[in-house]
Amino acid sequence: MRLEFARRRVEAKLSFDEIARRSGVSRPTVFRVASGQQRGSLETWFALAAAIKVPFSVLAQRLDDE
């Protein structure tokens, strides 16, 4: 999930600041979740998916890969 999020974030050319603004999740939390330093709740992942305009299911598809 983390790797797919990173790929989609880069494709969308969104900064961590912009994702934080769009998602309502603090920038430090966005960074920690995206870098794997923090797991992140489902609520956080749904908010991050919405911020990058990707269905949560697209991010969740990659759970087995990680």
Side-chain angles (χ1 to χ4, degrees):
M1 210 156 61
R2 177 178 60 83
L3 297 175
E4 184 66 13
F5 173 77
R7 187 176 74 76
R8 298 288 181 134
R9 182 187 74 79
V10 170
E11 283 178 1
K13 298 178 182 165
L14 294 172
S15 68
F16 289 117
D17 290 326
E18 181 61 18
I19 291 171
R21 187 188 69 72
R22 289 180 180 195
S23 67
V25 176
S26 72
R27 187 199 183 283
T29 298
V30 171
F31 179 79
R32 286 191 302 267
V33 169
S35 66
Q37 297 173 14
Q38 182 177 327
R39 285 186 174 218
S41 66
L42 280 176
E43 182 180 353
T44 298
W45 279 108
F46 272 98
L48 295 178
I52 61 172
K53 297 183 179 177
V54 172
F56 173 78
S57 61
V58 170
L59 298 182
Q61 278 179 297
R62 298 296 188 149
L63 285 174
D64 289 338
D65 295 345
E66 295 180 30

